[in-house]
Amino acid sequence: MRILLVEDDPDLSRQLKSALGDAGYAVDHAPDGEEAQFLGETEPYDAVILDLGLPKVDGVSVLERWRRENMAVPVLILTARGAWSEKVAGFDAGADDYLTKPFHTEELLARVRALIRRASGLASALLACGPLALDTRSGKVTLDGQPVNLTAQEFKLLSYLMHHPNELVSRTVLTEHLYAQDFERDSNTIEVFVARLRKKLPAAMIETVRGLGYRLNVPASPA
């Protein structure tokens, strides 16, 4: 999953970028509203963390423009303590959730996980595909109740597919959502990670649709 972090405070930006990276997200950072606006319009994100008090272009204006252009990405806004009018303006502009500074990093991570789940139409923090389960809170993956050891990139790939069950996902989309902007991307590496996952999971669970991409097949529930 790929996140756009829009925050002009250098210390807070470093802290959040590190925490998000440790949680398995690819993170792009924009220090002002102008760059945020550009990145949001040109790069695909699974969620945006948007500070409203930004230089060059304020966060509310950025969000209003995104929504006018029908960008449906879920947005978590960051507001100053006691600035209730900012919260109202943020929600009116199209925000999905908010946090008031200062906040606990764990709460921000929980809210981001919830936004991404809801955007995918998923209600539970525990994602299931037949005998396969992924706990978005702990990052643990189990198969028939037994732990599955995955590398960071294998986990990111599986997590994206499990957030989009039964959907055909191209290699390009996977590459765009698994790597940050400054990462040297190679869509061929997706094939490598899929092959590795198939050795650890039921082979038929991840289907290759030749020339189009991959699909995580969810077994039908017994009648």
Side-chain angles (χ1 to χ4, degrees):
M1 296 295 179
R2 190 173 171 199
I3 305 291
L4 174 60
L5 171 63
V6 188
E7 172 58 60
D8 63 318
D9 183 298
D11 292 334
L12 181 57
S13 296
R14 282 192 294 270
Q15 175 191 338
L16 293 181
K17 190 170 183 179
S18 176
L20 288 162
D22 289 345
Y25 297 105
V27 185
D28 290 340
H29 172 240
D32 58 67
E34 191 173 271
E35 186 171 350
Q37 195 166 277
F38 172 77
L39 286 175
E41 292 171 355
T42 57
E43 297 288 336
Y45 294 103
D46 298 292
V48 176
I49 300 168
L50 176 66
D51 185 25
L52 295 187
L54 296 169
K56 295 188 179 180
V57 182
D58 67 272
V60 170
S61 297
V62 171
L63 184 52
E64 285 177 338
R65 175 163 169 168
W66 285 345
R67 295 313 191 214
R68 282 199 304 271
E69 296 183 359
N70 296 317
M71 282 179 53
V73 61
V75 175
L76 170 68
I77 57 173
L78 305 180
T79 67
R81 180 185 292 276
W84 63 267
S85 59
E86 276 193 350
K87 298 172 192 174
V88 172
F91 278 119
D92 283 344
D96 299 276
D97 199 358
Y98 80 93
L99 264 180
T100 301
K101 297 180 182 180
F103 51 80
H104 292 288
T105 303
E106 285 303 319
E107 181 179 1
L108 178 138
L109 292 173
R111 289 178 180 272
V112 168
R113 289 194 298 268
L115 285 178
I116 292 174
R117 286 199 313 271
R118 289 200 294 268
S120 300
L122 303 169
S124 173
L126 186 67
L127 309 183
C129 178
L132 181 67
L134 185 153
D135 192 328
T136 60
R137 298 160 299 189
S138 65
K140 293 181 179 178
V141 176
T142 57
L143 182 65
D144 289 320
Q146 299 302 308
V148 180
N149 294 320
L150 302 177
T151 66
Q153 293 301 329
E154 290 167 359
F155 176 85
K156 290 178 181 179
L157 174 56
L158 180 62
S159 177
Y160 191 86
L161 291 175
M162 290 192 73
H163 276 85
H164 300 83
N166 293 323
E167 291 183 22
L168 179 60
V169 184
S170 71
R171 283 193 303 172
T172 299
V173 167
L174 284 170
T175 301
E176 289 177 336
H177 284 266
L178 298 188
Y179 300 111
Q181 184 189 34
D182 57 1
F183 192 90
E184 186 175 343
R185 302 172 184 175
D186 180 0
S187 63
N188 290 326
T189 60
I190 297 298
E191 293 181 5
V192 175
F193 294 133
V194 169
R196 290 179 183 174
L197 280 173
R198 285 195 173 121
K199 293 178 180 179
K200 301 178 181 182
L201 308 175
M205 189 168 281
I206 301 178
E207 175 190 1
T208 297
V209 181
R210 188 173 297 277
L212 296 176
Y214 303 97
R215 180 186 291 116
L216 182 73
N217 291 311
V218 179
S221 301

